[in-house]
Every structure is written in structure tokens, then in C-alpha cells.
Amino acid sequence: PVSPRGRPGGMDLAYVCEWEKKPKSNHCPSIPLVCAWSCRNLIAFTTDLRNEEEKDLTHMVHIIDTEHPWDVYSVNSGHTEVITCLEWDQSGSRLLSADADGHIKCWGMTDHLANSWENTVGSVVEGDPVVALSWLHNGVKLALHVEKSGASNFGEKFSRVKFSPSLTLFGGKPMEGWIAVTISGLVTVSLLKPNGQVLTATESLCRLRCRVALADVAFTGGGNIVVATSDGSSTSPVQFYKVCVSVVNEKCKIDTEILPSLFMRCTTDPARKDKYPAITHLKFLARDMSEQVLLCASNQNNSIVECWSLRKEGLPVNNIFQQISPVVGDKQPMILKWRILSATNDLDRVSAVALPKLPISLTNTDLKVANDTKFFPGLGLALAFHDGSVHIVHRLSLQMMAVFYGSSSQRPVDEPALKRPRTAGPLVHFKAMQLSWTSLALAGVDSHGKLSMLRISPSMGHVLDMNMSLRHLLFLLEYCMVTGYDWWDILLHVQPSMVQNLVEKLHEEYMRQNAALQQVLSTRIVAMKASLCKLSSSTIARVCDYHAKLFLIAISCTLKSLLRPHFLNTPDKSPGDRLTEICSKITDVDIDKVMINLKTEEFVLEMTTLQSLQQLIQWVGDFVLYLLASLPNQGSPVRPGHSFLRDGVSLGMFRELMVVIRIWGLLKPSCLPVYTATSDTQDSMSLLFRLLTKLWLCCREENHITEPDDALIDECCLLPSQLLIPNIDWLPINDGIISKLQNKQLVRLQFGKAPGLVGHTVSSQFDAFVRAPGQPKIDHLRRLHLGAYPTEECKSCTRCGCVTMLKSPNKVTAVKQWEQRWIKNCLCGGLWRKMPLSYS
């Protein structure tokens, strides 16, 4: 019977994505089925493509990003036997796959595209199936302190734990590589040298090699590796080994030693002695927690789960020896011993286990605060059962925290669970599951190969007041901001009514950090605010502003970095810094008076360079004109650009850029922004600079913002009669899934088919700002027009939908420098994906 602690309401189904049935070849779930979830919210999983005619199987690996699950990238893995393991690295940019023939492959993105992968390197233990696989540890370990969630400093909330990498290069840099355990009891380690060479060594785990049916790998703070193995029978011990990896004379060397082993308690318990013959799951609770292990033993219909921990214990010495033993202080000898922490009652048969990846601190105070505030992410692990249900149980006590009943599992009735009549045939159940990096979502692949995405409430279904719910989400958003992980799974829980509050609180917390950290996180917080504002119809216009702000920051950095000091023995400030300083000191409204204070020789660039920057310069000019023209009707916050009118920092950046552009215009007039003016004699640049400066002076100091005076507003009202106001190409509304999940209705999707955007209220308001289909498309980052039916291959961002060409049309170094800014990720930090050519 379900214990009363498991709360319904803690989990619900967000979306389901399934394969299209085809007559000739079908995707069927591979056995075993594996999946892995990266910190950038990419999910990799396996299926076997069965071809009816040739009766052969192709072992496929599929990669999706959780925001566009239908846009699946499927690759023929080239593995001849079934894939047994998939593992993402810490950065989420590389994937390892291993098969039942001993082959291990490392996959990386081609051209930094999330939907294009290639196998670069690998290793092999011929004919020996791999049962466990892991990347070596890079020595980075954080701890989230729930009790400090109110602290102002991010360093206190998320502290760095002292942890050594598995192996270091010269100078302490962690060495990259992987470790695997095979079925015949071998451990193999491959090291990736910086020059691309792979060093591999293979060693047996112990002198007496025996069959390894299950294994797992974990790391210790001292830089050692711990391997746990079981031969699959619960009457045999679960063995543990310490593995040390070193490089001697350019060769990889492995040393192993035996650690204490354990027997599962259910085998020594007289009542259950022969009830559970097989050990079916063996997992360390986390990759960096080698002292805690989760075991599951099963029979045909039932399972039992136990949690063990490795403790140091004193060894009592017999009285006889106490008199004669020399006194070496009063310390008794210490030994390591496995002790059982907790165990479940008899459960339905477990089909999959998912462990939390959130490195939550487990001190008593942290656990108490987590319990009092009902903050449970990272404290629960998920168990899936053969009847289709999923339970989340506490990682220490194994007590039920939340429960999800699959479509096929019956709700618990009053009679005991064991007496329920079994339905004919096996029920649909999860074969593999993974928790997201903040534990707020759970992905499962079931026995039909269908992918389900479950939401997990941070409070496991406890009803909290709004303030507390916001604090929980804020804490996890800050964690993602500090680590650089993707925060899609947090957005699943944001209701439209929370957006305004979350953005304000996030900003407050950010402003409490020191200047250096603020600078590091400056673009990340803007991207985060943008993705939050997408979720509410009242803040949708601000999404445009945040993306424009990211674009402005990037342009400002790039253009300023092109300035060169005149003499080689440079003064303490770079030309870019000096420009900023002079522009903020000289508040004159006349552009030429500001210009006189600058050393013009620092601004001299080649003519071709200036010409190649014209599109970016044009955007700056257009945007300034658009902003000033929209000042008179500033009463409407639903228009994009509104937030810039009160943003002193951004206006200051525009002002600096106008000065730079003015000086460059003297060198090469054709690089200036083109304006369509009504009179020929008018100096548009200096007019705009004058108005921009007046507006900037109103909001230069953040705590002391004044309203623009009537004279300025009158002048801005005249702008449309003097200059043609340009259309600004705002970013497209994203076609992702997140905004469709807010009403908590289950969304059904199909792999390979983009869903129609139905019933989405937010996007209809947004369409006013975006180009309609059939209109000419634009490269949002190069500001080039691509025509209505682009012939160039493009890539789009998975997070903000920004579109740009894959190949650079320009060869100028200044442009290359601009393109380097977003070659790996979009300006908002999102991943690129290649678009089909017919994307119009």
C-alpha cells in the first residue's frame, strides 16, 4: 500500500513525444535502453531501428533539446552491438556511448550545432561488454546550502568544495578522459591528451577476475576512483575497489586495491532469505559521493531497495591485549565498514532508477531548513515500477515524497497492493529515467520508446505561499546563473503571475554581488530575464528589450576592442576605457565638443574594416532614432524599447558608440548610418546625439531618475517629420514548447513533426513586432537581409530563436572578431541548431 507520505500533486506529465509508425522500419526501444541528460538540457537516448525486410537492427542514438523535443537529431551510432551506456561530460558538449562489444565512442558537436554530432575519438576492449562508464572528474564540486538561501553573497549559498581531479596535467589542469568497467572484471581508462592523442590502459579489478553484471563509478575528494561491482546474484557480495590512475613515461598506469564489501540485508534477513535472488540496480548516490550506495534486489514481481553508507569505525581491542599493548595514545585502530542507512518495504518490481544531480549540502542544519521550508530538489531519487508508476523517495531515509501513477497503473485501492489482479501482458513502464540538473523535471523513456517529460514540484506538492515558492525558484535560478547551466527545467514551474516578481528579485540579488562577479554574470542575467518575460503576456514586449540589450553589449565590446592605443607603451587605461570615462565626464550635448577630448589617432582603422562594420553601425543609428521617436508615447510599456528609456547604462553605451561612429565617419563617410531626412542640410547624427544626451542625463544615476522635460519630448515629437523612423527587426517569438505547458494540460508530440502553435495567447500579441512569413528574412546578428526565401544555410538559437547564417560572407578580421563572439553559443547563451533550408 502507498504510504500516506507520498503526495499526489508532486508530479505531473508536461509532454509526451512518440515515434511515428512506419510500415517498413520502426524505432523500437533497445534492450537495455539508456538515456542521459546534460547540464545544457540536451537529452540523449537509444532505440533500435528495426528494418522489416532485412531483419537487421541499427543501433541509434537520438539527441533532443528539451525545448524542441520533436526536433530530434538521430544518428546511426555505428555500434555493432546494443548500446549499454550513455554519459554526458560536465560541460554538456560531449557524449560517450559504449556497447556490448567493448567499443566506446566520444561524440562532439560539428560546428557547435546541437543537431549535428560526429564521433571524434574512442577506445575499445575487444568483445568485452561495457557495464559502467564515466568521464573522469574535473575537480569542480559545488555545494548548495539551503540554510544560506537568504544570504546575500552567491559564494556563501553555493560554496566550492575542495575536491581533486582524477588526474592533472602539468600546472594542475584536470586531464580529460573516461573510465569504464567491463563484464569480465576489467577496468579501462582512456586519457585525452591536449594534442588529440588518446592514451588507454586496461587492468583487471582484482587478481581473481569474476563476472561483473552491474557496476558503477564514483570519485573521492582525494582524486581516487571507486568502482562498485556485483555479479548479479544477491547471495554474492557487492565488491568495492579503489582505482588510481597515473601517467608514467607517456603511458597510462592503473593501480587497484580492494575496499570493504557488503551483503545486501534482505539476503541475511530470515523472513526474506531467498525472496530476492537478483541484484538489479547498483548506483552510487552521486558521482562525487563514493561513500553512499543504492542497491535494489528483485524477483519476477517485486523489489526491495536499500541505501548503504561507508563509515569509519573504531576497532575494539580484546581485554587480554589491553594490558600488554604499548600505549599509543588512547586511539583505537580505525577501519572502514559499510552500514545500512535505510531500506524500503517490499515494492512492486523496479524498472528504472534516476538519481539527483543537484549537489545539495546534506548537513543536519541544511536538511532541517530544507524540511521546514519544504525545499526538496536534490533530496529525492526516482524509482520507476513495472506497473507504470513512479515514486520519488528521500535519498537518505527512502521514505516516499511524491508519486505519479502512469496511465496503466491503477490508483491504490484499499486492498493490499499484492492482491491486485495483474492485467494481461506487461504494462507500459519506464525503462530508463533521468532527473534534470535542478531536479525539477524527470524524463523517462518507456517500453514503447516514447519519451515523457514530468514536472516535479520543488515542494513535492506541499502548498506554499507565493513568497516561498518564489524563493525556491529564485534559489535554483541563481544556481544556474552561477554554474552556467541551462534553466529550462525551472521555467516549467513559473506561472505568469510570478514573472514580474522573479525578475525584480533576481535583479536585487544580482545587485548585491561584488562588481567583478556582476561583470561575469552581466549577460547571463539579461538572458535569464528574457526567458522569464516570455512566460507572461504582460511582460512579452520586454523580451525584445533584453535581446536588444544583449546585442548592444556585444556590439559595444567589439567596436571598443577595435580601438588601438597610439603608442606601444600604453597608459594604464585602454582606449575603450578612456572613451567610457570621457563620455561620462563630459556631459555636453554637442557631439563635436565631446569628440575634441578624444585622441583621434586611436580611432584610425583601415577603410575596408570600417566599411564591413556598416551593418552594425546602421543598427546602432536606427535603434537610437527609434528610441527617441518612441519617447513621446512612453506611456505604453507594451511597446518594445520601453525599458531602454529609463536605462542609464544602456543609453550611455549608445552615446559612446555615437561618438565612435562620428569619428569613423570623418575617415570614411560611407560607413555612417544612412538616414532618410526631409531636408538636405540637417546634421542627423548631432541632432540625435543632442536628444540622446538629454535623455541620458535624466536617468544617469540609478537611484535618482528624473522625468524628461517637455522641451525634450516636443523635440522628439518632431523627429518623425524630420527623419524616416526605421522598422526595427525584433527577434522572432520562440517556437519552443515552454509557453504551451503553462496551463498544465498534457501536450502530445511526435518526433520529427513540429507542432502547430495552437491556443497560445502570448504569441498573438507578439506578432505585431515580428515579420510575417513570406516577408524578407534577416540575419539577426550580422544585420544582413537574406531575402524572402533564403538560399544560405542558417542556424537558429534554441533559446531565443535568433537566426544567423552558418557560413560567414566576410573575410575581414574585424567581422571575424564579431562572429567569434557567438560562434559557440548565441549571445543569450543558447545552443545553435541548424535550420532546414526551407525555413521560410
Side-chain angles (χ1 to χ4, degrees):
V2 172
S3 73
R5 302 287 302 272
R7 305 179 67 84
M11 298 160 81
D12 65 300
L13 209 46
Y15 64 72
V16 176
C17 203
E18 49 196 326
W19 295 101
E20 194 183 353
K21 290 269 182 288
K22 289 191 180 151
K24 289 287 187 294
S25 62
N26 265 314
H27 284 282
C28 48
S30 42
I31 302 170
L33 195 150
V34 279
C35 74
W37 190 326
S38 84
C39 62
R40 321 230 14 209
N41 284 327
L42 293 178
I43 294 178
F45 62 101
T46 59
T47 63
D48 291 341
L49 188 60
R50 180 174 284 149
N51 191 327
E52 291 303 319
E53 289 162 1
E54 292 153 25
K55 291 275 181 285
D56 64 339
L57 289 182
T58 313
H59 302 291
M60 306 291 292
V61 172
H62 307 282
I63 296 174
I64 60 161
D65 83 90
T66 51
E67 174 72 329
H68 308 90
W70 58 87
D71 186 21
V72 60
Y73 176 72
S74 305
V75 57
N76 176 351
S77 66
H79 284 294
T80 48
E81 293 293 323
V82 66
I83 298 169
T84 54
C85 307
L86 284 175
E87 282 290 323
W88 289 101
D89 70 345
Q90 275 305 108
S91 66
S93 53
R94 282 180 309 185
L95 178 71
L96 285 178
S97 62
D99 67 13
D101 195 29
H103 287 258
I104 300 171
K105 295 188 175 196
C106 174
W107 301 83
M109 292 188 216
T110 16
D111 300 330
H112 309 288
L113 296 170
N115 55 358
S116 177
W117 294 76
E118 59 184 350
N119 166 224
T120 43
V121 290
S123 65
V124 62
V125 185
E126 202 61 63
D128 202 351
V130 175
V131 287
L133 177 67
S134 170
W135 288 91
L136 295 178
H137 203 287
N138 62 1
V140 177
K141 182 178 177 183
L142 283 180
L144 266 86
H145 300 282
V146 185
E147 66 157 326
K148 299 259 174 63
S149 65
S152 58
N153 183 348
F154 285 167
E156 284 177 45
K157 296 184 199 183
F158 316 111
S159 66
R160 197 61 200 263
V161 181
K162 199 169 160 42
F163 207 89
S164 302
S166 312
L167 196 61
T168 50
L169 289 158
F170 182 72
K173 191 174 181 250
M175 191 148 186
E176 297 186 311
W178 57 83
I179 175 170
V181 181
T182 70
I183 207 161
S184 72
L186 293 176
V187 56
T188 175
V189 174
S190 295
L191 305 175
L192 295 175
K193 291 184 62 183
N195 62 8
Q197 208 183 341
V198 183
L199 300 179
T200 301
T202 306
E203 193 61 63
S204 73
L205 274 170
C206 62
R207 286 212 193 99
L208 289 167
R209 262 169 74 184
C210 51
R211 178 173 186 269
V212 175
L214 302 165
D216 198 20
V217 181
F219 302 93
T220 68
N224 290 322
I225 304 168
V226 180
V227 172
T229 68
S230 155
D231 66 1
S233 159
S234 60
T235 53
S236 314
V238 177
Q239 302 277 10
F240 294 86
Y241 305 93
K242 183 166 101 179
V243 178
C244 298
V245 183
S246 51
V247 175
V248 184
N249 302 336
E250 290 294 296
K251 285 200 168 60
C252 176
K253 181 168 175 290
I254 303 174
D255 294 301
T256 62
E257 66 177 86
I258 298 182
L259 293 173
S261 55
L262 66 87
F263 280 98
M264 283 192 70
R265 193 178 71 182
C266 61
T267 58
T268 53
D269 167 8
R272 294 198 173 97
K273 192 160 186 300
D274 301 318
K275 188 168 175 189
Y276 298 108
I279 297 184
T280 49
H281 296 88
L282 159 64
K283 297 259 187 214
F284 286 106
L285 264 164
R287 280 269 182 252
D288 44 26
M289 279 191 71
S290 55
E291 60 286 343
Q292 221 180 331
V293 66
L294 187 82
L295 296 159
C296 169
S298 312
N299 57 26
Q300 282 327 125
N301 302 325
N302 300 93
S303 293
I304 189 163
V305 176
E306 297 177 4
C307 185
W308 290 71
S309 98
L310 189 63
R311 307 265 174 90
K312 266 193 177 149
E313 295 185 1
L315 195 63
V317 178
N318 190 302
N319 283 342
I320 300 176
F321 298 108
Q322 291 207 329
Q323 273 73 39
I324 48 179
S325 67
V327 180
V328 196
D330 298 332
K331 281 197 179 147
Q332 31 178 199
M334 301 297 277
I335 56 160
L336 286 172
K337 196 158 188 185
W338 285 100
R339 290 276 180 209
I340 188 158
L341 269 183
S342 50
T344 60
N345 296 330
D346 298 340
L347 305 165
D348 201 82
R349 183 159 170 203
V350 172
S351 62
V353 177
L355 297 171
K357 301 182 185 71
L358 193 71
I360 199 141
S361 159
L362 297 173
T363 62
N364 290 339
T365 41
D366 282 314
L367 287 170
K368 185 180 182 314
V369 173
N371 202 32
D372 294 347
T373 56
K374 303 281 176 274
F375 178 83
F376 297 124
L379 288 176
L381 56 96
L383 301 173
F385 297 98
H386 274 258
D387 66 356
S389 63
V390 178
H391 292 179
I392 292 197
V393 297
H394 196 286
R395 62 188 285 176
L396 298 173
S397 66
L398 295 180
Q399 281 182 326
M400 177 103 83
M401 295 164 82
V403 58
F404 166 79
Y405 302 105
S407 48
S408 51
S409 64
Q410 295 130 324
R411 305 274 160 144
V413 259
D414 293 338
E415 74 223 53
L418 304 173
K419 286 193 187 136
R420 268 190 302 197
R422 296 216 157 259
T423 40
L427 298 163
V428 180
H429 57 270
F430 291 125
K431 299 281 250 184
M433 288 192 309
Q434 283 268 318
L435 281 162
S436 74
W437 283 63
T438 60
S439 287
L440 293 187
L442 175 74
V445 186
D446 66 24
S447 43
H448 288 177
K450 190 168 73 204
L451 180 105
S452 302
M453 179 65 67
L454 297 158
R455 255 192 215 93
I456 303 176
S457 121
S459 65
M460 294 293 168
H462 287 87
V463 181
L464 300 177
D465 62 353
M466 192 58 155
N467 207 2
M468 199 50 120
S469 312
L470 283 175
R471 256 185 60 187
H472 288 352
L473 295 179
L474 188 67
F475 187 48
L476 292 170
L477 282 169
E478 288 166 5
Y479 169 69
C480 288
M481 189 154 66
V482 170
T483 52
Y485 295 162
D486 186 70
W487 55 89
W488 178 87
D489 36 333
I490 305 175
L491 300 179
L492 279 177
H493 298 269
V494 176
Q495 291 303 313
S497 55
M498 300 177 173
V499 171
Q500 189 77 32
N501 272 338
L502 267 178
V503 171
E504 279 166 21
K505 287 203 162 82
L506 197 62
H507 185 74
E508 274 167 35
E509 290 294 324
Y510 168 78
M511 295 309 288
R512 289 161 77 177
Q513 308 311 311
N514 61 33
L517 186 58
Q518 281 193 24
Q519 196 174 356
V520 171
L521 303 177
S522 58
T523 52
R524 220 172 266 165
I525 185 171
V526 178
M528 210 169 241
K529 289 177 182 172
S531 58
L532 285 165
C533 286
K534 247 182 217 159
L535 301 176
S536 159
S537 50
S538 58
T539 50
I540 195 87
R542 278 162 58 190
V543 179
C544 298
D545 293 11
Y546 288 129
H547 288 313
K549 183 159 184 178
L550 285 170
F551 195 65
L552 167 66
I553 293 171
I555 284 189
S556 165
C557 291
T558 304
L559 297 189
K560 276 161 97 182
S561 70
L562 293 173
L563 308 181
R564 291 283 165 265
H566 185 47
F567 302 108
L568 281 179
N569 54 350
T570 48
D572 49 352
K573 285 205 167 77
S574 69
D577 293 344
R578 206 159 51 252
L579 168 75
T580 305
E581 190 182 31
I582 287 171
C583 285
S584 62
K585 205 161 61 190
I586 299 174
T587 57
D588 207 298
V589 293
D590 184 350
I591 192 164
D592 297 323
K593 285 192 180 150
V594 180
M595 231 164 69
I596 290 167
N597 293 282
L598 291 162
K599 297 197 177 113
T600 334
E601 57 269 25
E602 292 181 345
F603 290 78
V604 177
L605 293 180
E606 290 156 20
M607 296 298 151
T608 46
T609 303
L610 290 178
Q611 192 55 52
S612 67
L613 296 170
Q614 206 277 327
Q615 275 83 13
L616 300 182
I617 291 172
Q618 182 70 44
W619 180 83
V620 174
D622 283 351
F623 205 87
V624 170
L625 173 55
Y626 171 84
L627 282 184
L628 291 168
S630 66
L631 182 65
N633 57 5
Q634 57 176 324
S636 63
V638 294
R639 283 188 59 142
H642 179 262
S643 64
F644 277 98
L645 302 174
R646 290 275 177 282
D647 180 353
V649 182
S650 298
L651 294 175
M653 278 188 193
F654 276 122
R655 193 166 169 268
E656 287 165 27
L657 292 176
M658 294 287 274
V659 174
V660 176
I661 292 168
R662 177 75 164 196
I663 299 175
W664 284 347
L666 298 175
L667 296 167
K668 185 164 179 71
S670 66
C671 80
L672 285 171
V674 179
Y675 293 111
T676 314
T678 42
S679 84
D680 298 340
T681 51
Q682 174 182 298
D683 182 353
S684 308
M685 286 278 297
S686 56
L687 167 70
L688 292 176
F689 185 83
R690 193 177 82 237
L691 300 178
L692 178 64
T693 304
K694 286 183 178 175
L695 180 59
W696 169 68
L697 289 171
C698 293
C699 54
R700 190 164 61 144
E701 288 157 22
E702 210 175 306
N703 358 353
H704 171 95
I705 294 178
T706 56
E707 284 301 308
D709 58 4
D710 291 349
L712 173 60
I713 291 182
D714 290 347
E715 282 197 78
C716 289
C717 282
L718 290 174
L719 274 177
S721 61
Q722 295 164 311
L723 295 165
L724 182 70
I725 309 300
N727 270 335
I728 299 291
D729 284 289
W730 303 102
L731 275 193
I733 182 70
N734 204 337
D735 56 348
I737 190 89
I738 199 87
S739 45
K740 296 203 264 312
L741 299 174
Q742 285 185 313
N743 53 9
K744 298 276 171 108
Q745 294 294 316
L746 169 62
V747 177
R748 292 188 178 281
L749 304 164
Q750 217 176 35
F751 288 119
K753 283 193 178 167
L757 284 159
V758 255
H760 182 40
T761 47
V762 177
S763 59
S764 52
Q765 298 191 333
F766 205 83
D767 291 338
F769 317 132
V770 184
R771 298 189 162 209
Q775 273 190 322
K777 301 286 181 291
I778 186 163
D779 180 324
H780 293 108
L781 296 179
R782 294 189 181 91
R783 310 310 300 180
L784 296 172
H785 293 273
L786 302 176
Y789 301 100
T791 51
E792 283 294 313
E793 276 198 297
C794 290
K795 57 184 181 180
S796 77
C797 166
T798 52
R799 197 183 277 164
C800 68
C802 160
V803 173
T804 184
M805 285 184 284
L806 264 178
K807 294 194 181 63
S808 169
N810 247 317
K811 294 284 174 284
V812 187
T813 31
V815 177
K816 287 233 170 72
Q817 204 173 327
W818 167 240
E819 290 173 356
Q820 279 303 316
R821 280 194 171 273
W822 35 266
I823 187 108
K824 284 188 176 169
N825 304 32
C826 175
L827 294 175
C828 71
L831 290 161
W832 290 119
R833 54 182 186 147
K834 194 165 161 181
M835 300 174 75
L837 247 182
S838 60
Y839 92 92
S840 49

